[in-house]
Structures are given as structure tokens and as C-alpha cells.
Amino acid sequence: MIQNRFRAPSWALLALLGACGGGDVEEGQLRGTVGVDGSSTVFPITEAVAEDFRAEAPAVRVTVGISGTGGGFKKFANAEIDIADASRPIDPTEVAAAQANGIEFIELPIAYDGLSVVVHPSNDWVDHLTVEELQRIWQPESTVRTWRDVRPQWPDREIALYGPGTDSGTFDYFTEAIMGRSGASRSDYTASEDDNVLVQGVGGDPSALGFFGFAYYVENAERLKIVPIDPGTGPVAPSQATINDGSYRPLSRPVLIYVARPSADRPEVAAFVDFYLDQVATLAEEVGYVALPEEAYAAVEQHWRRRVTGSVYSGGHTTGTSIVELLGQASTAPSVE
């Protein structure tokens, strides 16, 4: 964990919120509980923010869980948590579940991430994979069993596959980007909602192939070998530069947090989200994500400040449209200030 990263003067903000918070504050001290759960991909950034926030507001208890994006949205729709970490935008069925329980939400993109396809460092035959090869490997009822099944010149060694579980937003995004349909995947692979388990699996098996978020590759680069992906225009490896400029296709995506609208009125939740957005641009790159452009963070902060509800992604990742443009579509919502 990165220590002593930020020394932002947050107490003025907390005192202001405390003055407006009535019974939640005693003798100027912000109090309460903030519940966060969801994506293991987003967990490192949220946990780091939470750790720094605890130092600023020690009487606020911030809990950060890992249930996968889908699992987090289930808890979110049931009003069990205040904030959902998500490695993909909320889908229509999850929106409907939240609406059925009267839960409106504020959608806040916080960074870019690129899904990383990885092999063991001793793998000296894979120089890149095409999108078509990934499709053949991972499609439902795939007949690919060995590396030779992918390319004839590769070894006749069985591939040990590792990937996120079906509740993971990483799983949803990978299947949508590679298969063209969310959830379309073979099932005979080692699955885990915890990316650390996948890192250990691929890092311990010379015949392995797996995928997970770029941040986890960065943290474990010495134990893994990255695989460039060719979408038809030449192989490109994920990096901060290629994810940010869009050349790493089709496996780059936004990561987000969702704040329950009722929770946003609680001083401790509002203060935590304010703190989160204040720190995230710096922290994103420190934990291996790609920070949004400055103008995008300005748009996200305005989106939060105005408490604009709903999803600008219409249930899926919108390619070719910037976050600034997407959030601008909701800019006519009335301000709460």
C-alpha cells in the first residue's frame, strides 16, 4: 500500500459538511459509516482513498469489500451499501433492480483501465494474440485445448486458463469486447473474483493464459508476461499511453463508482466522495490506472456536484465518445447547490 501520498487540507470541507449535518456531527467531528463494495479491479484505488480518508476523518468508518462488479450492484440495488465500485457501466437489468427498490444513483467515471492478457514469463512462443484467436480460445464450447490448437507452430501443451468469475465486471467487459456478447464464454477455466488469485495462478504455471485489469499486471509485472493484442491493425500492448490514446483496442474501458442518491445527502458519504474525486487523478496512476484528462475530471466533479442521476452509458461501454461528451449529455440537470 502506498503511504503518505496526500496531505490535502480536507478539514475545512469536513467542518463545513459537519455544520450542515445536524446530529451526525459532535463537537466538529464527522461521524458515520460509508459502505463500499464491488469490483476487485477498482478495489486498490478505493481502498487507498479510504485509508487516507480515515486519517482525515477518524470517526467515519469506511468499509471496502470485493464482491465483483455484479455482486456489488446487487448489494447496491438492495440498499446494503452506499457506493458500488464497478469495472464496467451498470447494465439495464441492474438499473431496473435499483429502480424497483427506489434507488437512484450518480455515475462517476474515475479512470481508464485496460484488460491485460498475460502468460507465464517463461512462455517464449506467444509474441501476440489476435482478437480472432482470443475468440477461438474463450468462446463457449471452444475446442481449443493446447497452444498448438491456436497456432500450429506453437507447443502441444495444454493451456491452463485463468479468468474472472461471472460476477466480475472484468468478465462482462472481456466477453462483450471479444465475443460481442456479455457473458459468452467457455466455462472450463479457473475462475475467481479476486484478481490476486489469477495472478498467482498464471505466475505459477508455464502453460497458463489469463486476463484481468491492467493495474494488477503493473503490480505483478515481474511475475507475468504481457501479451500484445492485434485487433486487425497490428499488435499493441497495454500501457498508460496506449490505453489513454485508444490504440489498445478493444480491451480498454472506464472504471467507475456509483453513489446511491439517498446516501449522497449524508455528510460522511458526501465528504468521502468529495475526497475521492479530489485525490483520484493522482492516485489513479500511482496504482496502475490511466488518469482521465483534466477536462474529464472537471466534468465528473460537476456531475457529482449537481447530483445528476442515471447512467450516460445506456447499459454498456460507449466507444468513440469521450467522457466529457457523455457527461455533457446530462449537463442540463438542475443543480443541488
Side-chain angles (χ1 to χ4, degrees), residues 106 261 265 302-308 333-337:
I106 304 163
R261 182 63 186 86
D265 290 332
Q302 182 183 48
H303 202 68
W304 162 244
R305 187 166 59 249
R306 296 168 69 89
R307 303 298 195 263
V308 179
S335 173
V336 298
E337 294 183 321

Side-chain angles (χ1 to χ4, degrees), residues 275-299:
F275 188 85
Y276 201 125
L277 296 181
D278 185 57
Q279 309 295 354
V280 69
T282 300
L283 182 58
E285 294 188 353
E286 290 193 17
V287 299
Y289 296 96
V290 177
L292 304 179
E294 184 176 340
E295 62 271 20
Y297 280 121

Side-chain angles (χ1 to χ4, degrees), residues 169-218:
T170 302
F171 171 85
D172 291 337
Y173 188 81
F174 182 85
T175 52
E176 182 177 329
I178 298 301
M179 304 300 169
R181 180 166 58 90
S182 180
S185 173
R186 67 191 298 167
S187 59
D188 57 337
Y189 70 97
T190 300
S192 177
E193 308 295 347
D194 186 346
D195 289 341
N196 290 303
V197 173
L198 306 180
V199 168
Q200 293 169 7
V202 178
D205 189 336
S207 295
L209 172 74
F211 68 91
F212 39 76
F214 181 66
Y216 278 88
Y217 165 71
V218 170

Side-chain angles (χ1 to χ4, degrees), residues 142-166:
S142 173
T143 59
V144 172
R145 296 290 180 267
T146 70
W147 285 105
R148 183 172 293 174
D149 292 335
V150 182
R151 293 188 200 173
Q153 66 270 33
W154 285 353
D156 187 19
R157 298 174 62 169
E158 186 171 355
I159 305 175
L161 292 171
Y162 292 84
T166 56

